[in-house]
């Protein structure tokens, strides 16, 4: 039985929507989905079989849609002390979550979720004499109270208070932001966890478990970063980062299909004159194509500080040049497609602001692209 665990993180939850879309496209299925805070909301959508809809909801979401008054006041504050005092005032009164509740009420069909073959669960914190973590599967949530408990799981401390039957609740992430333990206690041992920052790990001790973690490859904003640009970035990053893991793509910033050293050398042989010309400029005297490639990759690795395999060094080179050219990032490339696109838009003149140590690297790229376009 496979289970999915989603970390809490407010607006960063858009990353999970992108990741879930990629997992769904690759045929990954989970028998149970749980989460904390926004992770609980995303998990409920997954359990409802509505991953595509979840992606669209995040895609169309805007801070002003959920928190109009707060958005207005923050945009009108002049910055500095004025902005700081506005934030204190908003957080002190508690941010109104009426529109968030309305969105959840409109979005969820509780009966459909209860009938789903995918079991759903969440965590929240009950406030009494002591704070108590509550771990609830769908069968533990009273009928008709799904939205109440979703709001309870996502009750960030500076939101307005959430009460259910006179009991106050707080965000489940306060005590367990990645509730893998809840799944283990319920008997699940094959777990996929989508994290939103930090290195939260479940210590399984001697318990035999399979836990796979999916993580953002770069920063995804902060909890309240509900801007269109931030959400779009998180959605795309979640989708392509997950494809990188599932499909074995290479690259740290871009997404490149894996290739072998033999395939690399086969293509470079067509551009041997560029290799020879660049090495000659650097004062390298080499004989034979294989030696040229060896020296080429050694030089590139030294400039970039890379000491991996031939394909790792070449990928690092491709990504450095692609970044300088601002190559479109959200696409799965073969490395040849990547270089073809870069050759089309090559603008690596002598005035770019790259580090002085990298100038030979950009000189080689210019030589290669000029030949590539012929």
């Amino acid at each position: 039985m496979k289970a999915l665990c989603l970390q809490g993180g407010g607006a960063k939850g858009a990353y999970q929507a992108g990741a879930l879309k990629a997992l769904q496209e690759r045929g990954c299925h989970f028998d149970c989905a749980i989460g904390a805070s926004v992770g609980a909301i995303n998990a409920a959508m997954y359990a409802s079989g509505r991953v595509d809809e979840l992606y669209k909801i995040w895609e169309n979401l805007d801070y002003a849609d959920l928190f109009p008054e707060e958005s207005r006041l923050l945009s009108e504050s002049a910055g500095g002390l004025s902005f700081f005092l506005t934030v204190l005032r908003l957080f002190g009164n508690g941010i109104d979550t009426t529109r968030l509740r309305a969105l959840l009420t409109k979005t969820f069909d509780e009966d459909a979720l209860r009938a789903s073959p995918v079991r759903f669960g969440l965590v929240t914190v009950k406030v009494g004499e002591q704070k108590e973590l509550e771990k609830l599967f769908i069968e533990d949530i009273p009928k008709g109270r799904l939205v109440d408990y979703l709001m309870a799981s996502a009750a960030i401390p500076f939101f307005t208070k959430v009460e259910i039957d006179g009991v106050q609740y707080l965000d489940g992430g306060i005590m367990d932001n990645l509730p893998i333990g809840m799944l283990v206690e319920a008997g699940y041992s094959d777990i996929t966890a989508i994290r939103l920052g930090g290195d939260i790990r479940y210590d399984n001790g001697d318990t035999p478990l399979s836990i796979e973690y999916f993580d953002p490859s770069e920063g995804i904003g902060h909890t309240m970063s509900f801007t269109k640009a931030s959400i779009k970035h998180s959605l795309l990053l979640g989708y392509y980062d997950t494809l990188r893991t599932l499909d074995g793509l290479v690259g740290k910033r871009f997404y490149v299909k894996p290739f072998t050293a033999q395939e690399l050398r086969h293509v470079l042989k067509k551009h041997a004159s560029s290799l020879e010309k660049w090495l000659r400029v650097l004062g390298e005297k080499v004989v034979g194509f294989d030696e040229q490639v060896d020296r080429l990759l050694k030089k590139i690795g030294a400039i970039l500080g890379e000491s991996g395999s031939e394909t790792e060094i070449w990928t690092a080179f491709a990504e450095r040049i692609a970044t300088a050219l601002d190559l479109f990032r959200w696409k799965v490339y073969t490395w040849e497609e990547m270089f073809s696109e870069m050759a089309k838009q090559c603008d690596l003149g002598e005035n770019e602001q790259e580090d002085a140590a990298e100038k030979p690297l950009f000189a080689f790229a210019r030589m290669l692209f000029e030949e590539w376009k012929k």
Side-chain angles (χ1 to χ4, degrees), residues 4-48:
L4 176 70
C5 188
L6 304 181
Q7 181 178 338
K12 294 188 284 187
Y15 180 90
Q16 292 171 342
L20 290 173
K21 181 181 179 183
L23 286 165
Q24 177 177 264
E25 288 180 359
R26 291 299 182 267
C28 299
H29 172 76
F30 303 96
D31 304 290
C32 179
I34 71 167
S37 194
V38 73
I41 296 171
N42 287 338
M45 287 295 284
Y46 175 84
S48 299

Side-chain angles (χ1 to χ4, degrees), residues 255-281:
Y255 304 89
V256 186
K257 292 181 180 179
F259 57 98
T260 66
Q262 291 74 20
E263 290 169 338
L264 172 63
R265 286 175 179 260
H266 176 74
V267 176
L268 286 180
K269 195 162 190 177
K270 301 175 185 177
H271 306 281
S273 60
S274 294
L275 276 64
E276 185 177 0
K277 180 179 178 182
W278 185 60
L279 291 169
R280 192 165 58 246
V281 168

Side-chain angles (χ1 to χ4, degrees), residues 44-314:
M45 287 295 284
Y46 175 84
S48 299
R50 299 161 67 191
V51 170
D52 291 337
E53 186 177 344
L54 174 65
Y55 191 95
K56 289 178 182 177
I57 288 173
W58 275 105
E59 197 172 34
N60 295 318
L61 200 60
D62 194 290
Y63 183 85
D65 294 336
L66 293 180
F67 313 110
E69 182 63 12
E70 288 74 14
S71 179
R72 181 184 66 80
L73 289 173
L74 288 173
S75 65
E76 290 176 358
S77 61
L81 180 61
S82 173
F83 181 84
F84 178 70
L85 291 175
T86 300
V87 170
L88 285 181
R89 174 184 155 200
L90 291 173
F91 287 5
N93 295 334
I95 292 179
D96 183 14
T97 56
T98 301
R99 291 202 176 195
L100 175 58
R101 177 180 283 274
L103 175 63
L104 296 181
T105 301
K106 177 183 176 182
T107 300
F108 284 103
D109 181 335
E110 182 174 336
D111 291 337
L113 179 58
R114 290 183 181 278
S116 171
V118 180
R119 190 183 188 192
F120 166 67
L122 59 77
V123 292
T124 184
V125 175
K126 181 190 288 186
V127 180
E129 291 184 6
Q130 293 183 330
K131 292 183 175 67
E132 178 185 349
L133 181 68
E134 285 210 335
K135 307 170 185 178
L136 304 171
F137 285 103
I138 188 65
E139 61 268 24
D140 304 315
I141 297 173
K143 289 186 178 181
R145 309 306 292 270
L146 172 66
V147 170
D148 290 335
Y149 279 91
L150 287 173
M151 291 294 295
S153 183
I156 298 172
F158 48 78
F159 280 179
T160 50
K161 295 178 181 178
V162 173
E163 289 190 1
I164 302 174
D165 298 330
V167 179
Q168 185 180 336
Y169 289 85
L170 288 174
D171 191 303
I174 292 173
M175 293 186 70
D176 192 354
N177 206 23
L178 189 67
I180 292 174
M182 176 178 170
L183 290 169
V184 176
E185 290 168 9
Y188 296 95
S189 59
D190 189 349
I191 299 167
T192 294
I194 304 178
R195 299 185 290 195
L196 299 175
D199 190 24
I200 306 173
R201 290 180 178 272
Y202 180 76
D203 183 5
N204 59 302
D206 296 328
T207 306
L209 295 177
S210 171
I211 305 176
E212 183 175 18
Y213 295 96
F214 287 78
D215 297 281
S217 60
E218 61 190 49
I220 48 174
H222 56 77
T223 302
M224 294 300 290
S225 191
F226 284 97
T227 64
K228 289 282 189 182
S230 179
I231 288 173
K232 182 178 181 180
H233 175 264
S234 293
L235 283 168
L236 291 169
L237 191 71
Y239 178 78
Y240 282 97
D241 277 359
T242 304
L243 286 186
R244 175 186 282 138
T245 299
L246 296 176
D247 295 350
L249 304 178
V250 298
K252 296 177 181 177
R253 176 174 172 78
F254 290 83
Y255 304 89
V256 186
K257 292 181 180 179
F259 57 98
T260 66
Q262 291 74 20
E263 290 169 338
L264 172 63
R265 286 175 179 260
H266 176 74
V267 176
L268 286 180
K269 195 162 190 177
K270 301 175 185 177
H271 306 281
S273 60
S274 294
L275 276 64
E276 185 177 0
K277 180 179 178 182
W278 185 60
L279 291 169
R280 192 165 58 246
V281 168
L282 295 179
E284 293 276 347
K285 294 182 180 180
V286 294
V287 178
F289 172 72
D290 286 332
E291 188 178 351
Q292 288 177 357
V293 174
D294 291 342
R295 292 292 182 90
L296 169 75
L297 294 173
K298 184 177 180 180
K299 282 287 185 181
I300 291 176
I303 293 170
L304 292 175
E306 289 283 339
S307 58
S309 66
E310 291 186 0
T311 56
E312 288 171 335
I313 291 172
W314 189 257

Side-chain angles (χ1 to χ4, degrees), residues 326-344:
D326 196 24
L327 183 71
F328 181 68
R329 181 182 180 188
W330 307 117
K331 175 181 177 179
V332 176
Y333 292 93
T334 66
W335 79 262
E336 293 175 75
E337 289 170 343
M338 198 172 181
F339 271 77
S340 294
E341 288 299 316
M342 289 193 287
K344 290 177 185 176

